Amino acid sequence: MYSKEQITKIRQLINNYFDKGEVFDKLKKKIESEKIQIDDLDNEKLTKLLRETNLIDNLILDIKHLDELDEFNKQNKQLTFVDPDRINYRSVSLRIYKGRAFLDFIEPGNSKLQLYLSFCGQRFASATVDATVEPEFNELFLFDLRTEAQKANVDLLTLSKLDHPIELCVIQIQNGQTKLFSQKLIEWRFLLCYGNISLNIELPTTYNTKMQNERKNHVGILQIHLELLPKTGLVLLPENIVVSQLSKEKSVINQISDRFHTYGNAWWNDFKELKLSVRPIKLYSESQDGIWRPSCTFIRELQSVRGIMSPNHAARFVSLIPMKTSDRGPSGDRLEVWHRFPTFLALKGGDFEDHCLLLCSFFLGFNLDAFVVFGSTADRPHGWVMTRLQKPKKPNQKQAEYAYNFWEPLTGHKFELNDPKVPQLYKRIGCIFNHKCFYANIQENDSVLKTDLNIEDYTKWKAVDPNEISLLKPQNFQLTLLRQTIYADELEPKLELQLREAIGSYRKIINLATRYDEKLGSIMQIALANYETEKITGLQFAQFEFQSAIRSYIPEGHTFMSFPICFNHMNIQKMLEDIKTSPVGGEVLTARGDQTYHAVRVKMEIYPEDVYAVWVSVSVRFHKIV
């Protein structure tokens, strides 16, 4: 017997099924072939026609599939957001059982492993498991094969042309730090031939594990099972069709790569003939799989990313992702590796290149004219994002004029070109590019202040042919951000208590007692509520109310001091150290006098992917002893 919920689903399935144009087209063709007049068509003949065209049989198979999807929903909590009518569409189920031969973890340790999977804009994260020789993952994932523009099933032949592998990342977590343990692109299209496949996947070494042991070819094996759903009993594709499609795709990619490589070599030789000063020209960059790819392919328009409401929100979100300096190779040089967006987010941090690429892609999704700029600060290579806004044209004006803004991806700050901070932050410009264009700076003086940013001027910028770039396949696929799994109302009081204890211990070492004022902490909440909004919008609110509350609360003759600071981590000792080393923060912590009371208040803002800002206010009120 079916439950009321299942009966509702069945009714909806039947309605959706007969709403499909293909159902009525098949029925119409059958009626015409049988030369049946509409007036002669009764219930018995209609039922017979439906059975002869297999329309009812297919519907029954889809209804049986309800039980299978109910089981999926019970086992995989990630499916709770799926629409009820998803059962009408083809999906790929991926079950990961366990790992074998994870020899890096023969010795017991405190490491954890976590899986991240991406496919056609869908992303999932597994639970963390202990890192052992045979880690027990036991996870089930379901990927929809319907694209956003499709409202019905796609035939198997069309699906065989969907050149989009399932991207698997294995992340190692140890002592609060994450690193890429392995990554693998899984080709799923042989499911269209067999319906289900069991595989033992060898996980290759990455740039991290290669440094540890150059002789290793792989770091472990994953046992997985793939299945095409629903099981409708349709005739599957012959294997040679998928093999031929994969061979064709590989041939096309090789041809395009060889063509761009030949063009790029000629372009680079022409550039060297100019005999300019040494400057960073990033025509190619190394990807996380160790392959050098055209830099333009690491950027794409990220449209309609849920959780990112505006360019300002995008800048704030990217700036809160921790900066992690790239590893050093055997020679001591920085290993400059550019990650795909899902990997960058799974690692919960990356170098400035990763921040630049993601921020530029967000801006392009908002239809901004955005570019990645590669150059340098005073002492090291650096990158940032440039946007240009076209000014209104004047009468008889032929050439467009632009206003330029520089966005620092590590802080989220935006600077107009004439801002005095620009030459302090950025020194030189080597190249400017996005997903459609690439320009190398060929001006004699490549300093930020002297560089003309009119990239259409071929006497000042050497362009790569945009037609050549348009043939390249982008490395970063459409992105979906994972929903938050941590909550501010649970973490804020815990962090406040831990900070109080840490501050009390610090003051005890310097022979100072510590007392806390609960009401003062409550008043400081007004100020904290303002800071994150100000970061995004540049606007303040409730300033008058806050100042009035402080004036009326602090006793006459008493001194009030407060130090606000923002963190993108929850390490209490690091927080305390940063507060201590700040001139104002250190003065607040070491304040002494009559009737000395401190207050600690924490306010968290949490974004998708569990990216967060921790605002901390440490305050004190006291009467100075003269």
Side-chain angles (χ1 to χ4, degrees):
M1 295 293 292
Y2 289 107
S3 65
K4 290 183 179 180
E5 183 181 353
Q6 287 176 313
I7 291 173
T8 301
K9 287 182 179 180
I10 291 172
R11 287 174 178 168
Q12 187 176 15
L13 187 148
I14 293 172
N15 289 332
N16 292 341
Y17 189 79
F18 282 103
D19 279 343
K20 296 177 186 176
E22 62 186 53
V23 173
F24 289 103
D25 289 342
K26 289 181 180 178
L27 192 58
K28 182 180 177 181
K29 289 179 182 178
K30 185 66 175 176
I31 292 173
E32 290 174 351
S33 65
E34 296 286 338
K35 297 181 180 180
I36 300 175
Q37 298 296 322
I38 299 298
D39 294 339
D40 297 334
L41 194 62
D42 54 21
N43 289 340
E44 185 177 345
K45 289 182 179 179
L46 180 61
T47 303
K48 181 182 177 183
L49 290 172
L50 289 171
R51 290 197 176 279
E52 289 177 353
T53 52
N54 292 325
L55 293 174
I56 287 183
D57 292 339
N58 290 339
L59 176 60
I60 291 172
L61 285 170
D62 280 349
I63 292 173
K64 287 181 178 179
H65 183 57
L66 276 170
D67 295 332
E68 296 175 10
L69 282 198
D70 282 343
E71 182 64 24
F72 275 121
N73 287 327
K74 290 176 184 176
Q75 296 186 45
N76 191 343
K77 59 185 178 183
Q78 294 277 2
L79 299 181
T80 55
F81 65 89
V82 178
D83 293 332
D85 65 344
R86 181 168 177 172
I87 56 176
N88 295 315
Y89 308 116
R90 291 200 182 97
S91 305
V92 170
S93 75
L94 169 60
R95 181 180 286 279
I96 300 178
Y97 293 100
K98 64 186 297 185
R100 291 192 291 109
F102 280 56
L103 300 181
D104 285 16
F105 308 113
I106 291 178
E107 297 294 332
N110 58 351
S111 290
K112 298 283 186 179
L113 294 174
Q114 188 173 19
L115 306 176
Y116 284 83
L117 291 99
S118 307
F119 176 71
C120 288
Q122 304 161 74
R123 291 183 62 229
F124 298 96
S126 75
T128 56
V129 300
D130 291 331
T132 63
V133 177
E134 296 188 350
E136 295 281 352
F137 292 106
N138 195 25
E139 292 277 355
L140 180 66
F141 305 95
L142 186 65
F143 296 102
D144 199 337
L145 286 175
R146 177 186 53 157
T147 63
E148 293 181 0
Q150 295 162 338
K151 295 183 179 180
N153 269 331
V154 187
D155 63 89
L156 299 185
L157 186 60
T158 301
L159 286 176
S160 70
K161 299 175 183 178
L162 182 56
D163 181 14
H164 199 314
I166 297 173
E167 181 177 347
L168 168 70
C169 289
V170 185
I171 303 299
Q172 181 182 353
I173 307 166
Q174 187 172 22
N175 300 325
Q177 300 296 316
T178 60
K179 72 175 184 179
L180 181 62
F181 184 72
S182 185
Q183 56 87 33
K184 181 78 173 180
L185 298 180
I186 302 172
E187 181 54 69
W188 57 274
R189 280 178 283 181
F190 284 102
L191 279 178
L192 306 176
C193 308
Y194 303 111
N196 64 85
I197 304 173
S198 293
L199 298 171
N200 288 324
I201 294 181
E202 287 190 353
L203 297 175
T205 55
T206 66
Y207 55 89
N208 282 318
T209 48
K210 278 180 181 176
M211 286 194 300
Q212 297 167 10
N213 190 339
E214 290 287 345
R215 297 180 180 179
K216 292 170 66 173
N217 294 319
H218 66 273
V219 293
I221 297 172
L222 275 184
Q223 296 176 330
I224 72 169
H225 181 76
L226 293 160
E227 190 164 7
L228 183 65
L229 299 172
K231 302 173 185 177
T232 57
L234 295 175
V235 177
L236 297 174
L237 294 179
E239 183 179 335
N240 67 296
I241 291 181
V242 174
V243 171
S244 175
Q245 178 64 27
L246 295 177
S247 176
K248 179 181 177 182
E249 290 170 0
K250 185 176 181 180
S251 175
V252 170
I253 290 173
N254 288 338
Q255 289 176 17
I256 293 173
S257 297
D258 292 343
R259 171 174 169 167
F260 191 84
H261 185 261
T262 301
Y263 171 85
N265 281 339
W267 183 94
W268 180 246
N269 289 331
D270 289 343
F271 178 82
K272 289 193 296 184
E273 289 295 322
L274 299 174
K275 300 186 184 307
L276 298 166
S277 60
V278 176
R279 53 192 66 175
I281 307 299
K282 298 292 181 181
L283 187 60
Y284 276 86
S285 299
E286 187 177 9
S287 65
Q288 65 188 56
D289 49 13
I291 299 175
W292 287 82
R293 305 179 188 277
S295 297
C296 294
T297 63
F298 288 86
I299 302 175
R300 68 167 301 157
E301 295 181 15
L302 292 179
Q303 299 178 3
S304 304
V305 179
R306 300 293 180 184
I308 305 298
M309 287 75 77
S310 71
N312 295 70
H313 286 88
R316 182 60 175 158
F317 172 77
V318 173
S319 71
L320 289 171
I321 300 174
M323 164 70 175
K324 294 182 179 180
T325 305
S326 298
D327 294 315
R328 299 282 173 177
S331 63
D333 296 331
R334 188 173 69 97
L335 293 175
E336 187 181 315
V337 177
W338 293 14
H339 298 96
R340 285 188 285 270
F341 298 150
T343 306
F344 173 39
L345 294 171
L347 287 170
K348 301 188 184 304
D351 218 325
F352 69 85
E353 295 96 341
D354 296 320
H355 289 79
C356 285
L357 298 169
L358 181 57
L359 182 57
C360 183
S361 296
F362 275 134
F363 283 174
L364 291 169
F366 286 110
N367 204 38
L368 296 184
D369 201 9
F371 308 84
V372 170
V373 182
F374 261 81
S376 65
T377 60
D379 57 350
R380 65 184 185 278
H382 191 57
W384 59 96
V385 176
M386 180 183 80
T387 56
R388 62 178 189 177
L389 306 175
Q390 186 171 342
K391 297 179 180 179
K393 282 190 176 182
K394 300 175 183 177
N396 301 322
Q397 179 184 343
K398 295 182 179 180
Q399 190 173 4
E401 292 184 358
Y402 296 94
Y404 298 91
N405 291 320
F406 286 170
W407 298 74
E408 175 51 54
L410 301 181
T411 64
H413 293 146
K414 178 177 72 172
F415 305 98
E416 294 182 0
L417 192 58
N418 58 1
D419 192 311
K421 294 179 182 177
V422 167
Q424 299 174 18
L425 293 169
Y426 313 117
K427 297 301 179 183
R428 302 191 178 280
I429 295 178
C431 61
I432 293 176
F433 64 94
N434 62 21
H435 62 316
K436 291 183 178 180
C437 61
F438 187 98
Y439 299 93
N441 187 358
I442 58 174
Q443 298 166 64
E444 285 295 332
N445 191 331
D446 63 349
S447 68
V448 169
L449 288 179
K450 297 295 184 179
T451 296
D452 185 342
L453 295 176
N454 180 17
I455 52 181
E456 279 82 14
D457 187 342
Y458 69 90
T459 66
K460 298 175 180 178
W461 295 90
K462 180 172 177 57
V464 172
D465 187 346
N467 293 323
E468 296 291 336
I469 295 175
S470 66
L471 297 174
L472 300 171
K473 180 181 177 181
Q475 285 302 297
N476 285 314
F477 307 122
Q478 186 61 34
L479 181 66
T480 299
L481 299 180
L482 297 178
R483 294 171 294 174
Q484 68 181 69
T485 61
I486 58 176
Y487 298 94
D489 57 351
E490 296 177 0
L491 292 172
E492 288 171 353
K494 293 180 181 178
L495 291 174
E496 282 181 13
L497 180 61
Q498 291 171 359
L499 270 172
R500 284 186 179 192
E501 293 174 349
I503 291 171
S505 298
Y506 170 66
R507 284 175 59 84
K508 187 176 181 180
I509 293 173
I510 56 178
N511 298 316
L512 292 174
T514 309
R515 292 180 294 179
Y516 288 100
D517 185 337
E518 298 293 341
K519 189 168 184 179
L520 180 58
S522 179
I523 296 172
M524 295 309 301
Q525 180 76 15
I526 304 174
L528 286 180
N530 183 42
Y531 295 144
E532 188 68 14
T533 302
E534 185 181 1
K535 275 284 186 181
I536 296 172
T537 65
L539 302 175
Q540 295 181 346
F541 67 91
Q543 283 294 96
F544 175 80
E545 288 80 2
F546 171 67
Q547 293 169 1
S548 176
I550 288 294
R551 279 195 300 266
S552 63
Y553 184 71
I554 303 300
E556 187 175 348
H558 284 231
T559 298
F560 166 74
M561 298 174 62
S562 180
F563 177 67
I565 187 171
C566 184
F567 303 99
N568 61 356
H569 61 80
M570 288 186 275
N571 187 312
I572 297 297
Q573 291 306 315
K574 286 184 180 180
M575 289 181 181
L576 183 62
E577 196 61 33
D578 285 345
I579 297 171
K580 284 164 52 179
T581 54
S582 167
V584 177
E587 197 173 344
V588 170
L589 291 181
T590 58
R592 66 179 69 205
D594 188 26
Q595 301 178 47
T596 301
Y597 287 89
H598 282 79
V600 176
R601 196 69 176 185
V602 174
K603 180 75 174 71
M604 290 188 70
E605 295 291 340
I606 302 177
Y607 294 86
E609 298 285 335
D610 288 340
V611 170
Y612 53 80
V614 183
W615 284 98
V616 174
S617 171
V618 181
S619 309
V620 65
R621 66 173 178 87
F622 61 98
H623 187 274
K624 284 187 178 181
I625 300 176
V626 180

